[in-house]
Amino acid sequence: MITYMFKNNHFQELQLLHYGTEACTPGHHFGPAMRDYYKIHYILNGKGTFEVGGKTYTLHKGQGFLIVPHSVVHYEADQDDPWEYSWVAFQGSNSSSFYSRPVCPSITRFLSWVMRMTRCDPACTE
């Protein structure tokens, strides 16, 4: 499921572009390629690899990764236990401050909100 948001010029600081959930097939991958926006993936089940800056990370349920604009990335679902993830994509003049600060409880709350939204949970009306 992918939900696209309409561009709203009143929110230049931080703008949600799209979000969704995908249960990937074995070996499903993206890249190597770049995006021109930020995109957070949160792994709901399974595992896979994320490559950026010459490093490869093996990730699993409960972990996530951030794609930064204009960084070459590659990510791939595991062949035996492919991941299911939720994501949110965003941009704006304050986007970089989102990841430049230390991880804090607000990030955890944000990721919890993303998970509920992408699974169409009725509790997402906070």
Side-chain angles (χ1 to χ4, degrees):
M1 175 197 81
I2 301 174
T3 302
Y4 292 95
M5 308 303 290
F6 292 102
K7 187 166 182 158
N8 185 332
N9 291 325
H10 296 290
F11 298 104
Q12 295 297 315
E13 294 83 15
L14 187 64
Q15 186 170 67
L16 181 62
L17 300 175
H18 54 88
Y19 59 90
T21 297
E22 183 168 5
C24 296
T25 57
H28 171 80
H29 70 277
F30 171 82
M34 290 188 278
R35 303 221 186 250
D36 62 355
Y37 51 83
Y38 293 87
K39 190 172 184 182
I40 296 174
H41 288 75
Y42 182 79
I43 303 164
L44 303 169
N45 291 298
K47 60 187 175 181
T49 57
F50 174 64
E51 299 174 39
V52 62
K55 295 181 183 177
T56 301
Y57 303 90
T58 300
L59 303 171
H60 55 81
K61 179 181 178 177
Q63 295 182 307
F65 56 94
L66 172 67
I67 297 173
V68 176
H70 313 295
S71 294
V72 177
V73 300
H74 175 262
Y75 52 96
E76 185 169 339
D78 187 74
Q79 288 290 337
D80 298 319
D81 187 15
W83 53 22
E84 174 185 10
Y85 51 63
S86 292
W87 77 87
V88 61
F90 59 95
Q91 65 184 11
S93 59
N94 287 341
S95 295
S96 63
S97 67
F98 183 80
Y99 76 93
S100 62
R101 296 180 185 161
V103 174
C104 62
S106 63
I107 300 296
T108 303
R109 286 192 305 272
F110 175 74
L111 289 174
S112 294
W113 174 82
V114 169
M115 287 173 49
R116 287 194 314 272
M117 288 295 291
T118 57
R119 289 189 174 266
C120 300
D121 185 330
C124 67
T125 57
E126 294 178 358

PDB file of all heavy atoms in Angstrom, residues 1-8 15-22 35 37 39 87-90 117-118:
ATOM      1  N   MET A   1       0.840  -1.170   0.000  1.00  0.00           N
ATOM      2  CA  MET A   1       0.000   0.000   0.000  1.00  0.00           C
ATOM      3  C   MET A   1       0.889   1.239   0.000  1.00  0.00           C
ATOM      4  O   MET A   1       1.818   1.331   0.781  1.00  0.00           O
ATOM      5  CB  MET A   1      -0.879   0.007   1.248  1.00  0.00           C
ATOM      6  CG  MET A   1      -1.698   1.278   1.354  1.00  0.00           C
ATOM      7  SD  MET A   1      -2.366   1.584   3.002  1.00  0.00           S
ATOM      8  CE  MET A   1      -0.971   2.289   3.799  1.00  0.00           C
ATOM      9  N   ILE A   2       0.609   2.171  -0.877  1.00  0.00           N
ATOM     10  CA  ILE A   2       1.312   3.447  -0.913  1.00  0.00           C
ATOM     11  C   ILE A   2       0.260   4.543  -0.871  1.00  0.00           C
ATOM     12  O   ILE A   2      -0.724   4.494  -1.603  1.00  0.00           O
ATOM     13  CB  ILE A   2       2.145   3.626  -2.194  1.00  0.00           C
ATOM     14  CG1 ILE A   2       3.175   2.508  -2.334  1.00  0.00           C
ATOM     15  CG2 ILE A   2       2.826   4.989  -2.193  1.00  0.00           C
ATOM     16  CD1 ILE A   2       3.917   2.549  -3.653  1.00  0.00           C
ATOM     17  N   THR A   3       0.472   5.523  -0.015  1.00  0.00           N
ATOM     18  CA  THR A   3      -0.396   6.685   0.030  1.00  0.00           C
ATOM     19  C   THR A   3       0.438   7.901  -0.333  1.00  0.00           C
ATOM     20  O   THR A   3       1.461   8.163   0.303  1.00  0.00           O
ATOM     21  CB  THR A   3      -1.013   6.870   1.432  1.00  0.00           C
ATOM     22  OG1 THR A   3      -1.742   5.688   1.756  1.00  0.00           O
ATOM     23  CG2 THR A   3      -1.935   8.079   1.471  1.00  0.00           C
ATOM     24  N   TYR A   4       0.036   8.613  -1.364  1.00  0.00           N
ATOM     25  CA  TYR A   4       0.743   9.815  -1.788  1.00  0.00           C
ATOM     26  C   TYR A   4       0.037  11.035  -1.233  1.00  0.00           C
ATOM     27  O   TYR A   4      -1.183  11.085  -1.195  1.00  0.00           O
ATOM     28  CB  TYR A   4       0.786   9.908  -3.318  1.00  0.00           C
ATOM     29  CG  TYR A   4       1.651   8.849  -3.933  1.00  0.00           C
ATOM     30  CD1 TYR A   4       1.111   7.660  -4.393  1.00  0.00           C
ATOM     31  CD2 TYR A   4       3.031   9.029  -4.030  1.00  0.00           C
ATOM     32  CE1 TYR A   4       1.916   6.677  -4.950  1.00  0.00           C
ATOM     33  CE2 TYR A   4       3.836   8.052  -4.589  1.00  0.00           C
ATOM     34  CZ  TYR A   4       3.272   6.879  -5.048  1.00  0.00           C
ATOM     35  OH  TYR A   4       4.071   5.917  -5.586  1.00  0.00           O
ATOM     36  N   MET A   5       0.811  12.007  -0.830  1.00  0.00           N
ATOM     37  CA  MET A   5       0.264  13.236  -0.277  1.00  0.00           C
ATOM     38  C   MET A   5       0.361  14.327  -1.344  1.00  0.00           C
ATOM     39  O   MET A   5       1.284  14.331  -2.149  1.00  0.00           O
ATOM     40  CB  MET A   5       1.061  13.661   0.961  1.00  0.00           C
ATOM     41  CG  MET A   5       1.211  12.559   2.012  1.00  0.00           C
ATOM     42  SD  MET A   5      -0.328  11.874   2.625  1.00  0.00           S
ATOM     43  CE  MET A   5      -0.925  13.242   3.562  1.00  0.00           C
ATOM     44  N   PHE A   6      -0.577  15.244  -1.342  1.00  0.00           N
ATOM     45  CA  PHE A   6      -0.523  16.378  -2.257  1.00  0.00           C
ATOM     46  C   PHE A   6       0.402  17.441  -1.684  1.00  0.00           C
ATOM     47  O   PHE A   6       0.433  17.666  -0.464  1.00  0.00           O
ATOM     48  CB  PHE A   6      -1.916  16.967  -2.477  1.00  0.00           C
ATOM     49  CG  PHE A   6      -2.817  16.053  -3.233  1.00  0.00           C
ATOM     50  CD1 PHE A   6      -3.792  15.312  -2.587  1.00  0.00           C
ATOM     51  CD2 PHE A   6      -2.669  15.897  -4.599  1.00  0.00           C
ATOM     52  CE1 PHE A   6      -4.610  14.450  -3.281  1.00  0.00           C
ATOM     53  CE2 PHE A   6      -3.489  15.039  -5.315  1.00  0.00           C
ATOM     54  CZ  PHE A   6      -4.462  14.314  -4.652  1.00  0.00           C
ATOM     55  N   LYS A   7       1.160  18.067  -2.557  1.00  0.00           N
ATOM     56  CA  LYS A   7       2.095  19.103  -2.119  1.00  0.00           C
ATOM     57  C   LYS A   7       1.311  20.279  -1.556  1.00  0.00           C
ATOM     58  O   LYS A   7       0.352  20.744  -2.147  1.00  0.00           O
ATOM     59  CB  LYS A   7       2.975  19.549  -3.271  1.00  0.00           C
ATOM     60  CG  LYS A   7       4.064  20.482  -2.825  1.00  0.00           C
ATOM     61  CD  LYS A   7       5.116  20.651  -3.881  1.00  0.00           C
ATOM     62  CE  LYS A   7       6.179  21.562  -3.306  1.00  0.00           C
ATOM     63  NZ  LYS A   7       7.426  21.414  -3.967  1.00  0.00           N
ATOM     64  N   ASN A   8       1.737  20.740  -0.395  1.00  0.00           N
ATOM     65  CA  ASN A   8       1.113  21.879   0.264  1.00  0.00           C
ATOM     66  C   ASN A   8       2.189  22.926   0.499  1.00  0.00           C
ATOM     67  O   ASN A   8       3.077  22.722   1.323  1.00  0.00           O
ATOM     68  CB  ASN A   8       0.476  21.441   1.583  1.00  0.00           C
ATOM     69  CG  ASN A   8      -0.296  22.562   2.245  1.00  0.00           C
ATOM     70  OD1 ASN A   8       0.004  23.739   2.061  1.00  0.00           O
ATOM     71  ND2 ASN A   8      -1.289  22.191   3.028  1.00  0.00           N
ATOM     72  N   GLN A  15       7.540  18.404   4.897  1.00  0.00           N
ATOM     73  CA  GLN A  15       6.383  17.999   4.114  1.00  0.00           C
ATOM     74  C   GLN A  15       6.398  16.490   3.874  1.00  0.00           C
ATOM     75  O   GLN A  15       7.368  15.942   3.360  1.00  0.00           O
ATOM     76  CB  GLN A  15       6.380  18.730   2.782  1.00  0.00           C
ATOM     77  CG  GLN A  15       5.135  18.475   1.978  1.00  0.00           C
ATOM     78  CD  GLN A  15       5.059  19.392   0.801  1.00  0.00           C
ATOM     79  OE1 GLN A  15       5.882  19.283  -0.107  1.00  0.00           O
ATOM     80  NE2 GLN A  15       4.093  20.276   0.795  1.00  0.00           N
ATOM     81  N   LEU A  16       5.312  15.832   4.269  1.00  0.00           N
ATOM     82  CA  LEU A  16       5.148  14.407   4.028  1.00  0.00           C
ATOM     83  C   LEU A  16       4.851  14.191   2.550  1.00  0.00           C
ATOM     84  O   LEU A  16       3.954  14.829   1.995  1.00  0.00           O
ATOM     85  CB  LEU A  16       4.006  13.876   4.891  1.00  0.00           C
ATOM     86  CG  LEU A  16       3.685  12.405   4.806  1.00  0.00           C
ATOM     87  CD1 LEU A  16       4.861  11.561   5.267  1.00  0.00           C
ATOM     88  CD2 LEU A  16       2.451  12.092   5.630  1.00  0.00           C
ATOM     89  N   LEU A  17       5.598  13.308   1.906  1.00  0.00           N
ATOM     90  CA  LEU A  17       5.409  13.037   0.481  1.00  0.00           C
ATOM     91  C   LEU A  17       4.574  11.783   0.241  1.00  0.00           C
ATOM     92  O   LEU A  17       3.644  11.789  -0.543  1.00  0.00           O
ATOM     93  CB  LEU A  17       6.766  12.877  -0.208  1.00  0.00           C
ATOM     94  CG  LEU A  17       7.689  14.082  -0.141  1.00  0.00           C
ATOM     95  CD1 LEU A  17       9.040  13.731  -0.751  1.00  0.00           C
ATOM     96  CD2 LEU A  17       7.062  15.280  -0.837  1.00  0.00           C
ATOM     97  N   HIS A  18       4.953  10.691   0.883  1.00  0.00           N
ATOM     98  CA  HIS A  18       4.204   9.444   0.761  1.00  0.00           C
ATOM     99  C   HIS A  18       4.621   8.503   1.871  1.00  0.00           C
ATOM    100  O   HIS A  18       5.656   8.675   2.512  1.00  0.00           O
ATOM    101  CB  HIS A  18       4.367   8.786  -0.614  1.00  0.00           C
ATOM    102  CG  HIS A  18       5.774   8.540  -1.047  1.00  0.00           C
ATOM    103  ND1 HIS A  18       6.455   7.400  -0.729  1.00  0.00           N
ATOM    104  CD2 HIS A  18       6.627   9.289  -1.776  1.00  0.00           C
ATOM    105  CE1 HIS A  18       7.655   7.446  -1.248  1.00  0.00           C
ATOM    106  NE2 HIS A  18       7.792   8.594  -1.893  1.00  0.00           N
ATOM    107  N   TYR A  19       3.776   7.512   2.109  1.00  0.00           N
ATOM    108  CA  TYR A  19       4.073   6.498   3.116  1.00  0.00           C
ATOM    109  C   TYR A  19       3.386   5.215   2.712  1.00  0.00           C
ATOM    110  O   TYR A  19       2.490   5.213   1.867  1.00  0.00           O
ATOM    111  CB  TYR A  19       3.643   6.941   4.519  1.00  0.00           C
ATOM    112  CG  TYR A  19       2.171   7.242   4.665  1.00  0.00           C
ATOM    113  CD1 TYR A  19       1.270   6.248   5.027  1.00  0.00           C
ATOM    114  CD2 TYR A  19       1.679   8.519   4.436  1.00  0.00           C
ATOM    115  CE1 TYR A  19      -0.079   6.527   5.166  1.00  0.00           C
ATOM    116  CE2 TYR A  19       0.328   8.811   4.575  1.00  0.00           C
ATOM    117  CZ  TYR A  19      -0.543   7.805   4.936  1.00  0.00           C
ATOM    118  OH  TYR A  19      -1.876   8.084   5.075  1.00  0.00           O
ATOM    119  N   GLY A  20       3.832   4.104   3.289  1.00  0.00           N
ATOM    120  CA  GLY A  20       3.215   2.839   2.934  1.00  0.00           C
ATOM    121  C   GLY A  20       3.841   1.670   3.645  1.00  0.00           C
ATOM    122  O   GLY A  20       4.711   1.830   4.505  1.00  0.00           O
ATOM    123  N   THR A  21       3.403   0.495   3.278  1.00  0.00           N
ATOM    124  CA  THR A  21       3.903  -0.768   3.810  1.00  0.00           C
ATOM    125  C   THR A  21       4.082  -1.724   2.647  1.00  0.00           C
ATOM    126  O   THR A  21       3.277  -1.720   1.715  1.00  0.00           O
ATOM    127  CB  THR A  21       2.896  -1.368   4.817  1.00  0.00           C
ATOM    128  OG1 THR A  21       2.774  -0.482   5.916  1.00  0.00           O
ATOM    129  CG2 THR A  21       3.338  -2.732   5.320  1.00  0.00           C
ATOM    130  N   GLU A  22       5.129  -2.533   2.712  1.00  0.00           N
ATOM    131  CA  GLU A  22       5.342  -3.530   1.666  1.00  0.00           C
ATOM    132  C   GLU A  22       5.877  -4.811   2.276  1.00  0.00           C
ATOM    133  O   GLU A  22       6.827  -4.780   3.054  1.00  0.00           O
ATOM    134  CB  GLU A  22       6.335  -3.021   0.622  1.00  0.00           C
ATOM    135  CG  GLU A  22       6.525  -3.986  -0.513  1.00  0.00           C
ATOM    136  CD  GLU A  22       7.272  -3.397  -1.690  1.00  0.00           C
ATOM    137  OE1 GLU A  22       7.736  -2.259  -1.613  1.00  0.00           O
ATOM    138  OE2 GLU A  22       7.380  -4.105  -2.693  1.00  0.00           O
ATOM    139  N   ARG A  35      17.765   9.091  -4.170  1.00  0.00           N
ATOM    140  CA  ARG A  35      16.464   9.766  -4.070  1.00  0.00           C
ATOM    141  C   ARG A  35      16.752  11.246  -3.825  1.00  0.00           C
ATOM    142  O   ARG A  35      17.833  11.607  -3.371  1.00  0.00           O
ATOM    143  CB  ARG A  35      15.648   9.194  -2.913  1.00  0.00           C
ATOM    144  CG  ARG A  35      15.432   7.693  -3.019  1.00  0.00           C
ATOM    145  CD  ARG A  35      14.033   7.352  -2.628  1.00  0.00           C
ATOM    146  NE  ARG A  35      13.811   5.923  -2.574  1.00  0.00           N
ATOM    147  CZ  ARG A  35      13.068   5.261  -3.435  1.00  0.00           C
ATOM    148  NH1 ARG A  35      12.486   5.884  -4.417  1.00  0.00           N
ATOM    149  NH2 ARG A  35      12.872   3.970  -3.302  1.00  0.00           N
ATOM    150  N   TYR A  37      14.839  13.030  -1.704  1.00  0.00           N
ATOM    151  CA  TYR A  37      14.103  13.303  -0.475  1.00  0.00           C
ATOM    152  C   TYR A  37      14.554  12.309   0.589  1.00  0.00           C
ATOM    153  O   TYR A  37      15.290  11.364   0.304  1.00  0.00           O
ATOM    154  CB  TYR A  37      12.595  13.207  -0.700  1.00  0.00           C
ATOM    155  CG  TYR A  37      12.143  11.938  -1.382  1.00  0.00           C
ATOM    156  CD1 TYR A  37      11.948  10.760  -0.659  1.00  0.00           C
ATOM    157  CD2 TYR A  37      11.920  11.914  -2.757  1.00  0.00           C
ATOM    158  CE1 TYR A  37      11.535   9.603  -1.287  1.00  0.00           C
ATOM    159  CE2 TYR A  37      11.508  10.746  -3.387  1.00  0.00           C
ATOM    160  CZ  TYR A  37      11.322   9.608  -2.650  1.00  0.00           C
ATOM    161  OH  TYR A  37      10.918   8.456  -3.266  1.00  0.00           O
ATOM    162  N   LYS A  39      13.810   9.332   3.345  1.00  0.00           N
ATOM    163  CA  LYS A  39      12.873   8.214   3.436  1.00  0.00           C
ATOM    164  C   LYS A  39      13.316   7.304   4.576  1.00  0.00           C
ATOM    165  O   LYS A  39      14.444   6.810   4.588  1.00  0.00           O
ATOM    166  CB  LYS A  39      12.831   7.442   2.116  1.00  0.00           C
ATOM    167  CG  LYS A  39      11.715   6.429   2.032  1.00  0.00           C
ATOM    168  CD  LYS A  39      11.632   5.848   0.616  1.00  0.00           C
ATOM    169  CE  LYS A  39      10.466   4.902   0.476  1.00  0.00           C
ATOM    170  NZ  LYS A  39      10.431   4.310  -0.871  1.00  0.00           N
ATOM    171  N   TRP A  87       7.269   2.639   5.524  1.00  0.00           N
ATOM    172  CA  TRP A  87       8.148   3.763   5.249  1.00  0.00           C
ATOM    173  C   TRP A  87       7.365   5.058   5.235  1.00  0.00           C
ATOM    174  O   TRP A  87       6.145   5.071   5.091  1.00  0.00           O
ATOM    175  CB  TRP A  87       8.885   3.586   3.921  1.00  0.00           C
ATOM    176  CG  TRP A  87       8.026   3.868   2.730  1.00  0.00           C
ATOM    177  CD1 TRP A  87       7.811   5.081   2.136  1.00  0.00           C
ATOM    178  CD2 TRP A  87       7.237   2.937   1.993  1.00  0.00           C
ATOM    179  NE1 TRP A  87       6.940   4.948   1.073  1.00  0.00           N
ATOM    180  CE2 TRP A  87       6.578   3.645   0.971  1.00  0.00           C
ATOM    181  CE3 TRP A  87       7.042   1.573   2.107  1.00  0.00           C
ATOM    182  CZ2 TRP A  87       5.735   3.020   0.070  1.00  0.00           C
ATOM    183  CZ3 TRP A  87       6.198   0.959   1.211  1.00  0.00           C
ATOM    184  CH2 TRP A  87       5.557   1.681   0.201  1.00  0.00           C
ATOM    185  N   VAL A  88       8.123   6.125   5.383  1.00  0.00           N
ATOM    186  CA  VAL A  88       7.578   7.468   5.211  1.00  0.00           C
ATOM    187  C   VAL A  88       8.653   8.287   4.492  1.00  0.00           C
ATOM    188  O   VAL A  88       9.840   8.195   4.809  1.00  0.00           O
ATOM    189  CB  VAL A  88       7.159   8.104   6.566  1.00  0.00           C
ATOM    190  CG1 VAL A  88       8.325   8.240   7.508  1.00  0.00           C
ATOM    191  CG2 VAL A  88       6.473   9.437   6.354  1.00  0.00           C
ATOM    192  N   ALA A  89       8.225   9.052   3.488  1.00  0.00           N
ATOM    193  CA  ALA A  89       9.135   9.899   2.721  1.00  0.00           C
ATOM    194  C   ALA A  89       8.754  11.355   2.962  1.00  0.00           C
ATOM    195  O   ALA A  89       7.566  11.693   3.007  1.00  0.00           O
ATOM    196  CB  ALA A  89       9.041   9.573   1.233  1.00  0.00           C
ATOM    197  N   PHE A  90       9.775  12.203   3.117  1.00  0.00           N
ATOM    198  CA  PHE A  90       9.514  13.605   3.422  1.00  0.00           C
ATOM    199  C   PHE A  90      10.634  14.477   2.898  1.00  0.00           C
ATOM    200  O   PHE A  90      11.721  14.002   2.563  1.00  0.00           O
ATOM    201  CB  PHE A  90       9.319  13.791   4.936  1.00  0.00           C
ATOM    202  CG  PHE A  90      10.503  13.357   5.762  1.00  0.00           C
ATOM    203  CD1 PHE A  90      11.469  14.266   6.172  1.00  0.00           C
ATOM    204  CD2 PHE A  90      10.642  12.028   6.135  1.00  0.00           C
ATOM    205  CE1 PHE A  90      12.557  13.863   6.924  1.00  0.00           C
ATOM    206  CE2 PHE A  90      11.723  11.616   6.897  1.00  0.00           C
ATOM    207  CZ  PHE A  90      12.687  12.536   7.299  1.00  0.00           C
ATOM    208  N   MET A 117      -0.197   4.224  10.837  1.00  0.00           N
ATOM    209  CA  MET A 117      -0.754   4.841   9.628  1.00  0.00           C
ATOM    210  C   MET A 117      -0.653   3.900   8.433  1.00  0.00           C
ATOM    211  O   MET A 117      -1.581   3.777   7.648  1.00  0.00           O
ATOM    212  CB  MET A 117      -0.031   6.152   9.302  1.00  0.00           C
ATOM    213  CG  MET A 117      -0.345   7.275  10.248  1.00  0.00           C
ATOM    214  SD  MET A 117      -2.071   7.792  10.179  1.00  0.00           S
ATOM    215  CE  MET A 117      -2.130   8.539   8.575  1.00  0.00           C
ATOM    216  N   THR A 118       0.489   3.238   8.276  1.00  0.00           N
ATOM    217  CA  THR A 118       0.674   2.398   7.101  1.00  0.00           C
ATOM    218  C   THR A 118      -0.086   1.092   7.188  1.00  0.00           C
ATOM    219  O   THR A 118      -0.295   0.431   6.187  1.00  0.00           O
ATOM    220  CB  THR A 118       2.175   2.108   6.872  1.00  0.00           C
ATOM    221  OG1 THR A 118       2.716   1.502   8.028  1.00  0.00           O
ATOM    222  CG2 THR A 118       2.919   3.397   6.547  1.00  0.00           C
TER     223      THR A 118
END
